Amino acid sequence: MEIERNILGKNDGLARTNRRRLAEKGIFALNLVSSPGSGKTTLLCRAIEDLKARLPIAVIEGDQQTSNDADRIRATGVTAIQVNTGKGCHLDASMVGHALDELDPAENALLFIENVGNLVCPSAFDLGEAHKVVVLSVTEGEDKPLKYPDMFAASDLMLLTKADLLPHLDFDVAACIAAARKVNPRLEVMTVSAKSGEGLDGFYAWIETRAKLAAES
Amino acid sequence: MEIERNILGKNDGLARTNRRRLAEKGIFALNLVSSPGSGKTTLLCRAIEDLKARLPIAVIEGDQQTSNDADRIRATGVTAIQVNTGKGCHLDASMVGHALDELDPAENALLFIENVGNLVCPSAFDLGEAHKVVVLSVTEGEDKPLKYPDMFAASDLMLLTKADLLPHLDFDVAACIAAARKVNPRLEVMTVSAKSGEGLDGFYAWIETRAKLAAES
């Protein structure tokens, strides 16, 4: 326990440094957390296509291995850096600090940090982001927020992805939202599909509102 | 790193104790590992219904919180114990040892251990099982074995679940299997659906063959 506290304490200090550094350049950072395969990268590629004409965007991609995701993001024309964690199960503030050195996002940019696919461990690690956004696909089951509560408690927004598959599934959207709100009553929720585009305007409006609020504070 | 080695060393000792204990009673144990929401519990409920007339079955369920999964398993009529790991991101051999004390499976039983939903951390922890079985749903993306290689390297069988959804997805089964075999050339693979029953006879035959081999060794 002592060791865990030391690791988290050191991480929190580095996260504060990242947060100050991002604020100085007016960069709005979102930390996307989820299980593997929830559709984070597909969602990001679509969001980038839809938003890149409006504002500068940069991406930090976390995975144990491969640069597949950064390659997919770069294909949209924005800058992206892949961080491979090897045996590690989450990004930490130190990795993000080094990635920022290299990435050097533009002033007033939107920075997406796509964490390692893991619904458990990334919840405890502040990276210096403005908000954690938990991504849950509708193929995963309604009770996930109750079974993995830490991540849903740590997040400000839940995106229910792959909504285009709902007609083929026995997934109860209302039950899932109720489970998430039981863990975190102030959690905002949006149901989206990167394939059909459903719900994405709401997500983009949320980003713009929250970025404005962050810039004013 | 030293700390990590000590933790793993202690776990391996306890896993050997579990393995010896299981062998003495002729119990065949499978450790099911995957992301959250891959369909492990649904698959287990179906497998138990199909197999329970043929042999004694017991289940250890791992989750951070809730006893939802053990409740679902008990509804099939077999004994199940829920282990809640709290902040913990994986089962370890000590938790399984204590669960075995309480569960006390019958001689020659089939023991399913459903790990915490996490495609990263459980790969490093031997629980005393005969085999790790990695469960990947066809909604998760073909490149998961390359991005999270440790789990696929540690497993002997990959079950590709939710095959009934394939007509609604752009999922390339052959590419996924190729990715998995790149990480682990001796990995066996089966495509199954707990909903339609597709592929389950192959999985049951695999269990019976492997249990026989384990009993003879």
Side-chain angles (χ1 to χ4, degrees):
Chain A
M1 288 305 289
E2 190 56 42
I3 296 161
E4 197 183 315
R5 269 199 298 274
N6 287 345
I7 290 172
L8 288 174
K10 196 183 161 202
N11 183 77
D12 285 351
L14 293 169
R16 278 192 294 274
T17 306
N18 290 346
R19 189 166 281 117
R20 198 167 45 235
R21 196 171 159 187
L22 293 167
E24 280 165 9
K25 294 185 73 178
I27 297 166
F28 180 69
L30 296 178
N31 176 3
L32 277 79
V33 290
S34 81
S35 299
S38 64
K40 290 188 297 303
T41 315
T42 302
L43 181 76
L44 281 186
C45 287
R46 171 80 189 240
I48 290 166
E49 292 294 355
D50 292 342
L51 295 173
K52 67 184 180 186
R54 290 197 241 168
L55 75 178
I57 301 176
V59 181
I60 297 172
E61 282 291 336
D63 270 308
Q64 282 197 291
Q65 295 291 346
T66 83
S67 62
N68 292 4
D69 287 355
D71 296 343
R72 285 171 65 192
I73 297 290
R74 279 188 210 109
T76 67
V78 306
T79 52
I81 278 196
Q82 183 80 45
V83 179
N84 281 146
T85 59
K87 295 276 170 194
C89 51
H90 59 86
L91 292 176
D92 64 30
S94 165
M95 296 172 193
V96 169
H98 288 297
L100 286 174
D101 292 340
E102 219 175 310
L103 193 61
D104 194 23
E107 298 234 337
N108 304 313
L110 170 60
L111 174 66
F112 290 116
I113 305 169
E114 184 180 338
N115 220 308
V116 175
N118 180 335
L119 203 53
V120 181
C121 312
S123 69
F125 288 81
D126 183 7
L127 306 179
E129 72 275 359
H131 302 281
K132 282 193 178 69
V133 176
V134 62
V135 178
L136 184 70
S137 84
V138 297
T139 61
E140 294 180 54
E142 298 89 351
D143 61 350
K144 292 298 165 289
L146 299 176
K147 290 160 92 176
Y148 305 90
D150 292 349
M151 192 65 94
F152 294 84
S155 298
D156 296 309
L157 174 65
M158 172 167 85
L159 294 175
L160 273 177
T161 54
K162 308 193 190 180
D164 56 285
L165 289 175
L166 281 171
H168 311 298
L169 301 169
D170 312 313
F171 182 88
D172 185 336
V173 171
C176 183
I177 294 173
R181 293 253 167 82
K182 204 166 164 184
V183 171
N184 180 352
R186 54 164 189 68
L187 187 68
E188 293 185 76
V189 180
M190 289 172 194
T191 304
V192 302
S193 165
K195 212 171 204 173
S196 72
E198 177 192 338
L200 292 179
D201 285 339
F203 177 43
Y204 305 153
W206 183 90
I207 291 175
E208 293 187 309
T209 308
R210 292 298 179 135
K212 206 172 288 177
L213 282 172
E216 285 163 5
S217 70
Chain B
M1 289 303 292
E2 189 59 40
I3 295 161
E4 196 182 316
R5 269 199 299 274
N6 287 347
I7 290 172
L8 288 175
K10 194 183 160 203
N11 183 77
D12 286 351
L14 292 170
R16 278 192 294 274
T17 306
N18 290 347
R19 189 165 281 117
R20 198 167 46 232
R21 199 171 155 185
L22 293 167
E24 280 165 8
K25 294 184 72 176
I27 297 166
F28 180 69
L30 296 177
N31 176 3
L32 276 81
V33 290
S34 81
S35 298
S38 65
K40 291 189 296 305
T41 314
T42 302
L43 181 77
L44 280 188
C45 286
R46 172 80 189 238
I48 290 166
E49 291 293 354
D50 292 344
L51 295 173
K52 68 184 180 186
R54 288 195 243 167
L55 77 177
I57 300 177
V59 180
I60 297 172
E61 283 291 335
D63 271 307
Q64 282 197 291
Q65 294 293 346
T66 84
S67 62
N68 293 4
D69 287 356
D71 295 344
R72 287 171 64 192
I73 297 290
R74 280 189 209 110
T76 67
V78 305
T79 53
I81 276 195
Q82 183 79 47
V83 178
N84 282 147
T85 59
K87 296 273 169 195
C89 52
H90 59 84
L91 291 176
D92 65 29
S94 165
M95 296 171 194
V96 169
H98 289 298
L100 285 174
D101 292 340
E102 221 175 309
L103 194 61
D104 193 24
E107 299 235 336
N108 304 311
L110 169 60
L111 173 66
F112 290 116
I113 305 169
E114 184 179 338
N115 220 309
V116 175
N118 181 334
L119 205 53
V120 181
C121 312
S123 69
F125 288 80
D126 183 4
L127 306 180
E129 73 275 359
H131 303 282
K132 279 193 180 67
V133 176
V134 61
V135 178
L136 185 70
S137 84
V138 297
T139 61
E140 294 181 52
E142 297 87 352
D143 61 351
K144 292 298 166 290
L146 298 175
K147 290 162 91 175
Y148 304 90
D150 291 349
M151 193 64 95
F152 294 83
S155 298
D156 296 309
L157 173 66
M158 173 167 83
L159 294 176
L160 273 176
T161 53
K162 308 192 189 179
D164 55 286
L165 289 174
L166 281 171
H168 313 296
L169 302 168
D170 312 312
F171 182 89
D172 186 335
V173 171
C176 182
I177 295 173
R181 291 254 167 82
K182 205 166 164 184
V183 171
N184 179 353
R186 58 165 185 70
L187 186 69
E188 293 185 75
V189 180
M190 290 171 195
T191 303
V192 301
S193 165
K195 213 171 203 176
S196 72
E198 177 191 338
L200 291 179
D201 284 340
F203 176 43
Y204 304 153
W206 183 90
I207 290 175
E208 293 188 308
T209 308
R210 292 297 179 133
K212 205 173 286 177
L213 282 171
E216 284 164 2
S217 72

PDB file of all heavy atoms in Angstrom, chain B residues 71-97:
ATOM      1  N   ASP B  71     -24.092 -14.903  -9.265  1.00  0.00           N
ATOM      2  CA  ASP B  71     -25.549 -15.108  -9.205  1.00  0.00           C
ATOM      3  C   ASP B  71     -26.057 -15.752 -10.497  1.00  0.00           C
ATOM      4  O   ASP B  71     -26.888 -16.664 -10.464  1.00  0.00           O
ATOM      5  CB  ASP B  71     -26.273 -13.768  -8.985  1.00  0.00           C
ATOM      6  CG  ASP B  71     -25.936 -13.140  -7.630  1.00  0.00           C
ATOM      7  OD1 ASP B  71     -25.414 -13.852  -6.746  1.00  0.00           O
ATOM      8  OD2 ASP B  71     -26.165 -11.930  -7.475  1.00  0.00           O
ATOM      9  N   ARG B  72     -25.524 -15.247 -11.630  1.00  0.00           N
ATOM     10  CA  ARG B  72     -25.952 -15.827 -12.918  1.00  0.00           C
ATOM     11  C   ARG B  72     -25.545 -17.291 -13.023  1.00  0.00           C
ATOM     12  O   ARG B  72     -26.299 -18.125 -13.535  1.00  0.00           O
ATOM     13  CB  ARG B  72     -25.343 -15.040 -14.100  1.00  0.00           C
ATOM     14  CG  ARG B  72     -25.981 -13.675 -14.301  1.00  0.00           C
ATOM     15  CD  ARG B  72     -25.219 -12.846 -15.325  1.00  0.00           C
ATOM     16  NE  ARG B  72     -25.220 -13.409 -16.656  1.00  0.00           N
ATOM     17  CZ  ARG B  72     -24.422 -12.977 -17.651  1.00  0.00           C
ATOM     18  NH1 ARG B  72     -23.569 -11.982 -17.431  1.00  0.00           N
ATOM     19  NH2 ARG B  72     -24.487 -13.536 -18.847  1.00  0.00           N
ATOM     20  N   ILE B  73     -24.321 -17.587 -12.564  1.00  0.00           N
ATOM     21  CA  ILE B  73     -23.834 -18.970 -12.641  1.00  0.00           C
ATOM     22  C   ILE B  73     -24.653 -19.877 -11.726  1.00  0.00           C
ATOM     23  O   ILE B  73     -25.060 -20.979 -12.117  1.00  0.00           O
ATOM     24  CB  ILE B  73     -22.337 -19.043 -12.235  1.00  0.00           C
ATOM     25  CG1 ILE B  73     -21.466 -18.241 -13.212  1.00  0.00           C
ATOM     26  CG2 ILE B  73     -21.880 -20.503 -12.132  1.00  0.00           C
ATOM     27  CD1 ILE B  73     -21.333 -18.811 -14.587  1.00  0.00           C
ATOM     28  N   ARG B  74     -24.925 -19.407 -10.496  1.00  0.00           N
ATOM     29  CA  ARG B  74     -25.676 -20.240  -9.538  1.00  0.00           C
ATOM     30  C   ARG B  74     -27.071 -20.567 -10.059  1.00  0.00           C
ATOM     31  O   ARG B  74     -27.627 -21.624  -9.742  1.00  0.00           O
ATOM     32  CB  ARG B  74     -25.778 -19.523  -8.187  1.00  0.00           C
ATOM     33  CG  ARG B  74     -24.515 -19.654  -7.376  1.00  0.00           C
ATOM     34  CD  ARG B  74     -24.685 -19.143  -5.944  1.00  0.00           C
ATOM     35  NE  ARG B  74     -23.401 -18.647  -5.472  1.00  0.00           N
ATOM     36  CZ  ARG B  74     -23.117 -17.368  -5.254  1.00  0.00           C
ATOM     37  NH1 ARG B  74     -24.034 -16.435  -5.447  1.00  0.00           N
ATOM     38  NH2 ARG B  74     -21.914 -17.016  -4.852  1.00  0.00           N
ATOM     39  N   ALA B  75     -27.630 -19.669 -10.884  1.00  0.00           N
ATOM     40  CA  ALA B  75     -28.956 -19.923 -11.453  1.00  0.00           C
ATOM     41  C   ALA B  75     -28.957 -21.164 -12.352  1.00  0.00           C
ATOM     42  O   ALA B  75     -30.011 -21.744 -12.618  1.00  0.00           O
ATOM     43  CB  ALA B  75     -29.432 -18.700 -12.235  1.00  0.00           C
ATOM     44  N   THR B  76     -27.793 -21.606 -12.796  1.00  0.00           N
ATOM     45  CA  THR B  76     -27.708 -22.826 -13.616  1.00  0.00           C
ATOM     46  C   THR B  76     -27.704 -24.078 -12.743  1.00  0.00           C
ATOM     47  O   THR B  76     -27.743 -25.190 -13.264  1.00  0.00           O
ATOM     48  CB  THR B  76     -26.429 -22.856 -14.485  1.00  0.00           C
ATOM     49  OG1 THR B  76     -25.284 -22.964 -13.620  1.00  0.00           O
ATOM     50  CG2 THR B  76     -26.292 -21.607 -15.339  1.00  0.00           C
ATOM     51  N   GLY B  77     -27.570 -23.889 -11.414  1.00  0.00           N
ATOM     52  CA  GLY B  77     -27.611 -25.034 -10.504  1.00  0.00           C
ATOM     53  C   GLY B  77     -26.248 -25.521 -10.037  1.00  0.00           C
ATOM     54  O   GLY B  77     -26.173 -26.447  -9.233  1.00  0.00           O
ATOM     55  N   VAL B  78     -25.154 -24.929 -10.520  1.00  0.00           N
ATOM     56  CA  VAL B  78     -23.831 -25.370 -10.044  1.00  0.00           C
ATOM     57  C   VAL B  78     -23.326 -24.407  -8.960  1.00  0.00           C
ATOM     58  O   VAL B  78     -23.857 -23.311  -8.789  1.00  0.00           O
ATOM     59  CB  VAL B  78     -22.784 -25.485 -11.193  1.00  0.00           C
ATOM     60  CG1 VAL B  78     -23.306 -26.396 -12.291  1.00  0.00           C
ATOM     61  CG2 VAL B  78     -22.374 -24.124 -11.719  1.00  0.00           C
ATOM     62  N   THR B  79     -22.316 -24.840  -8.217  1.00  0.00           N
ATOM     63  CA  THR B  79     -21.782 -23.987  -7.148  1.00  0.00           C
ATOM     64  C   THR B  79     -20.811 -22.964  -7.736  1.00  0.00           C
ATOM     65  O   THR B  79     -20.034 -23.266  -8.640  1.00  0.00           O
ATOM     66  CB  THR B  79     -21.047 -24.818  -6.079  1.00  0.00           C
ATOM     67  OG1 THR B  79     -20.071 -25.622  -6.722  1.00  0.00           O
ATOM     68  CG2 THR B  79     -22.016 -25.678  -5.295  1.00  0.00           C
ATOM     69  N   ALA B  80     -20.886 -21.746  -7.198  1.00  0.00           N
ATOM     70  CA  ALA B  80     -20.016 -20.671  -7.671  1.00  0.00           C
ATOM     71  C   ALA B  80     -19.662 -19.769  -6.507  1.00  0.00           C
ATOM     72  O   ALA B  80     -20.469 -19.573  -5.593  1.00  0.00           O
ATOM     73  CB  ALA B  80     -20.719 -19.854  -8.759  1.00  0.00           C
ATOM     74  N   ILE B  81     -18.451 -19.228  -6.545  1.00  0.00           N
ATOM     75  CA  ILE B  81     -17.999 -18.272  -5.522  1.00  0.00           C
ATOM     76  C   ILE B  81     -17.542 -17.006  -6.222  1.00  0.00           C
ATOM     77  O   ILE B  81     -16.829 -17.070  -7.238  1.00  0.00           O
ATOM     78  CB  ILE B  81     -16.855 -18.888  -4.698  1.00  0.00           C
ATOM     79  CG1 ILE B  81     -17.466 -19.745  -3.605  1.00  0.00           C
ATOM     80  CG2 ILE B  81     -15.954 -17.819  -4.110  1.00  0.00           C
ATOM     81  CD1 ILE B  81     -16.525 -20.125  -2.520  1.00  0.00           C
ATOM     82  N   GLN B  82     -17.966 -15.872  -5.684  1.00  0.00           N
ATOM     83  CA  GLN B  82     -17.541 -14.585  -6.245  1.00  0.00           C
ATOM     84  C   GLN B  82     -16.351 -14.075  -5.436  1.00  0.00           C
ATOM     85  O   GLN B  82     -16.419 -14.011  -4.211  1.00  0.00           O
ATOM     86  CB  GLN B  82     -18.691 -13.588  -6.161  1.00  0.00           C
ATOM     87  CG  GLN B  82     -18.384 -12.233  -6.770  1.00  0.00           C
ATOM     88  CD  GLN B  82     -18.498 -12.240  -8.291  1.00  0.00           C
ATOM     89  OE1 GLN B  82     -19.469 -12.743  -8.841  1.00  0.00           O
ATOM     90  NE2 GLN B  82     -17.501 -11.687  -8.972  1.00  0.00           N
ATOM     91  N   VAL B  83     -15.292 -13.699  -6.117  1.00  0.00           N
ATOM     92  CA  VAL B  83     -14.164 -13.021  -5.482  1.00  0.00           C
ATOM     93  C   VAL B  83     -14.184 -11.577  -5.962  1.00  0.00           C
ATOM     94  O   VAL B  83     -14.078 -11.323  -7.165  1.00  0.00           O
ATOM     95  CB  VAL B  83     -12.806 -13.672  -5.867  1.00  0.00           C
ATOM     96  CG1 VAL B  83     -11.647 -12.923  -5.221  1.00  0.00           C
ATOM     97  CG2 VAL B  83     -12.781 -15.136  -5.478  1.00  0.00           C
ATOM     98  N   ASN B  84     -14.342 -10.621  -5.044  1.00  0.00           N
ATOM     99  CA  ASN B  84     -14.287  -9.204  -5.408  1.00  0.00           C
ATOM    100  C   ASN B  84     -12.892  -8.689  -5.121  1.00  0.00           C
ATOM    101  O   ASN B  84     -12.413  -8.769  -3.996  1.00  0.00           O
ATOM    102  CB  ASN B  84     -15.327  -8.383  -4.641  1.00  0.00           C
ATOM    103  CG  ASN B  84     -16.734  -8.532  -5.202  1.00  0.00           C
ATOM    104  OD1 ASN B  84     -17.707  -8.482  -4.472  1.00  0.00           O
ATOM    105  ND2 ASN B  84     -16.857  -8.743  -6.499  1.00  0.00           N
ATOM    106  N   THR B  85     -12.251  -8.158  -6.150  1.00  0.00           N
ATOM    107  CA  THR B  85     -10.848  -7.733  -6.003  1.00  0.00           C
ATOM    108  C   THR B  85     -10.743  -6.273  -5.564  1.00  0.00           C
ATOM    109  O   THR B  85      -9.637  -5.796  -5.327  1.00  0.00           O
ATOM    110  CB  THR B  85     -10.089  -7.915  -7.332  1.00  0.00           C
ATOM    111  OG1 THR B  85     -10.748  -7.128  -8.326  1.00  0.00           O
ATOM    112  CG2 THR B  85     -10.074  -9.361  -7.774  1.00  0.00           C
ATOM    113  N   GLY B  86     -11.877  -5.548  -5.462  1.00  0.00           N
ATOM    114  CA  GLY B  86     -11.815  -4.136  -5.048  1.00  0.00           C
ATOM    115  C   GLY B  86     -11.013  -3.321  -6.037  1.00  0.00           C
ATOM    116  O   GLY B  86     -11.351  -3.271  -7.216  1.00  0.00           O
ATOM    117  N   LYS B  87      -9.923  -2.705  -5.581  1.00  0.00           N
ATOM    118  CA  LYS B  87      -9.076  -1.921  -6.497  1.00  0.00           C
ATOM    119  C   LYS B  87      -8.263  -2.832  -7.423  1.00  0.00           C
ATOM    120  O   LYS B  87      -7.688  -2.381  -8.408  1.00  0.00           O
ATOM    121  CB  LYS B  87      -8.097  -1.043  -5.698  1.00  0.00           C
ATOM    122  CG  LYS B  87      -8.747   0.027  -4.833  1.00  0.00           C
ATOM    123  CD  LYS B  87      -8.993   1.312  -5.612  1.00  0.00           C
ATOM    124  CE  LYS B  87      -9.881   2.256  -4.813  1.00  0.00           C
ATOM    125  NZ  LYS B  87     -10.443   3.332  -5.620  1.00  0.00           N
ATOM    126  N   GLY B  88      -8.178  -4.116  -7.064  1.00  0.00           N
ATOM    127  CA  GLY B  88      -7.289  -5.036  -7.787  1.00  0.00           C
ATOM    128  C   GLY B  88      -7.764  -5.335  -9.194  1.00  0.00           C
ATOM    129  O   GLY B  88      -8.962  -5.404  -9.451  1.00  0.00           O
ATOM    130  N   CYS B  89      -6.810  -5.556 -10.097  1.00  0.00           N
ATOM    131  CA  CYS B  89      -7.125  -5.659 -11.518  1.00  0.00           C
ATOM    132  C   CYS B  89      -7.011  -7.078 -12.053  1.00  0.00           C
ATOM    133  O   CYS B  89      -7.075  -7.294 -13.252  1.00  0.00           O
ATOM    134  CB  CYS B  89      -6.213  -4.732 -12.305  1.00  0.00           C
ATOM    135  SG  CYS B  89      -4.471  -4.975 -11.922  1.00  0.00           S
ATOM    136  N   HIS B  90      -6.828  -8.070 -11.166  1.00  0.00           N
ATOM    137  CA  HIS B  90      -6.671  -9.458 -11.625  1.00  0.00           C
ATOM    138  C   HIS B  90      -6.863 -10.375 -10.424  1.00  0.00           C
ATOM    139  O   HIS B  90      -6.712  -9.943  -9.274  1.00  0.00           O
ATOM    140  CB  HIS B  90      -5.279  -9.670 -12.215  1.00  0.00           C
ATOM    141  CG  HIS B  90      -4.192  -9.370 -11.220  1.00  0.00           C
ATOM    142  ND1 HIS B  90      -3.758 -10.286 -10.293  1.00  0.00           N
ATOM    143  CD2 HIS B  90      -3.511  -8.232 -10.954  1.00  0.00           C
ATOM    144  CE1 HIS B  90      -2.839  -9.732  -9.530  1.00  0.00           C
ATOM    145  NE2 HIS B  90      -2.667  -8.482  -9.890  1.00  0.00           N
ATOM    146  N   LEU B  91      -7.189 -11.635 -10.664  1.00  0.00           N
ATOM    147  CA  LEU B  91      -7.150 -12.649  -9.602  1.00  0.00           C
ATOM    148  C   LEU B  91      -5.702 -13.056  -9.375  1.00  0.00           C
ATOM    149  O   LEU B  91      -4.886 -12.978 -10.297  1.00  0.00           O
ATOM    150  CB  LEU B  91      -7.969 -13.882 -10.008  1.00  0.00           C
ATOM    151  CG  LEU B  91      -9.490 -13.709 -10.089  1.00  0.00           C
ATOM    152  CD1 LEU B  91     -10.136 -15.001 -10.608  1.00  0.00           C
ATOM    153  CD2 LEU B  91     -10.082 -13.351  -8.727  1.00  0.00           C
ATOM    154  N   ASP B  92      -5.385 -13.510  -8.166  1.00  0.00           N
ATOM    155  CA  ASP B  92      -4.062 -14.099  -7.939  1.00  0.00           C
ATOM    156  C   ASP B  92      -4.232 -15.470  -7.290  1.00  0.00           C
ATOM    157  O   ASP B  92      -5.353 -15.872  -6.926  1.00  0.00           O
ATOM    158  CB  ASP B  92      -3.153 -13.160  -7.141  1.00  0.00           C
ATOM    159  CG  ASP B  92      -3.643 -12.901  -5.729  1.00  0.00           C
ATOM    160  OD1 ASP B  92      -4.314 -13.788  -5.155  1.00  0.00           O
ATOM    161  OD2 ASP B  92      -3.342 -11.815  -5.195  1.00  0.00           O
ATOM    162  N   ALA B  93      -3.132 -16.185  -7.173  1.00  0.00           N
ATOM    163  CA  ALA B  93      -3.198 -17.580  -6.704  1.00  0.00           C
ATOM    164  C   ALA B  93      -3.688 -17.662  -5.269  1.00  0.00           C
ATOM    165  O   ALA B  93      -4.355 -18.633  -4.892  1.00  0.00           O
ATOM    166  CB  ALA B  93      -1.823 -18.237  -6.855  1.00  0.00           C
ATOM    167  N   SER B  94      -3.389 -16.656  -4.459  1.00  0.00           N
ATOM    168  CA  SER B  94      -3.858 -16.656  -3.073  1.00  0.00           C
ATOM    169  C   SER B  94      -5.382 -16.571  -3.017  1.00  0.00           C
ATOM    170  O   SER B  94      -6.033 -17.339  -2.294  1.00  0.00           O
ATOM    171  CB  SER B  94      -3.220 -15.474  -2.329  1.00  0.00           C
ATOM    172  OG  SER B  94      -3.887 -15.238  -1.121  1.00  0.00           O
ATOM    173  N   MET B  95      -5.972 -15.663  -3.806  1.00  0.00           N
ATOM    174  CA  MET B  95      -7.444 -15.537  -3.841  1.00  0.00           C
ATOM    175  C   MET B  95      -8.081 -16.855  -4.278  1.00  0.00           C
ATOM    176  O   MET B  95      -9.100 -17.280  -3.721  1.00  0.00           O
ATOM    177  CB  MET B  95      -7.867 -14.452  -4.851  1.00  0.00           C
ATOM    178  CG  MET B  95      -7.421 -13.054  -4.507  1.00  0.00           C
ATOM    179  SD  MET B  95      -7.784 -11.952  -5.931  1.00  0.00           S
ATOM    180  CE  MET B  95      -6.820 -10.497  -5.479  1.00  0.00           C
ATOM    181  N   VAL B  96      -7.474 -17.500  -5.288  1.00  0.00           N
ATOM    182  CA  VAL B  96      -8.041 -18.760  -5.795  1.00  0.00           C
ATOM    183  C   VAL B  96      -7.899 -19.862  -4.747  1.00  0.00           C
ATOM    184  O   VAL B  96      -8.813 -20.671  -4.559  1.00  0.00           O
ATOM    185  CB  VAL B  96      -7.373 -19.139  -7.137  1.00  0.00           C
ATOM    186  CG1 VAL B  96      -7.723 -20.557  -7.557  1.00  0.00           C
ATOM    187  CG2 VAL B  96      -7.802 -18.141  -8.214  1.00  0.00           C
ATOM    188  N   GLY B  97      -6.787 -19.871  -4.017  1.00  0.00           N
ATOM    189  CA  GLY B  97      -6.599 -20.848  -2.940  1.00  0.00           C
ATOM    190  C   GLY B  97      -7.696 -20.721  -1.888  1.00  0.00           C
ATOM    191  O   GLY B  97      -8.313 -21.724  -1.479  1.00  0.00           O
TER     192      GLY B  97
END
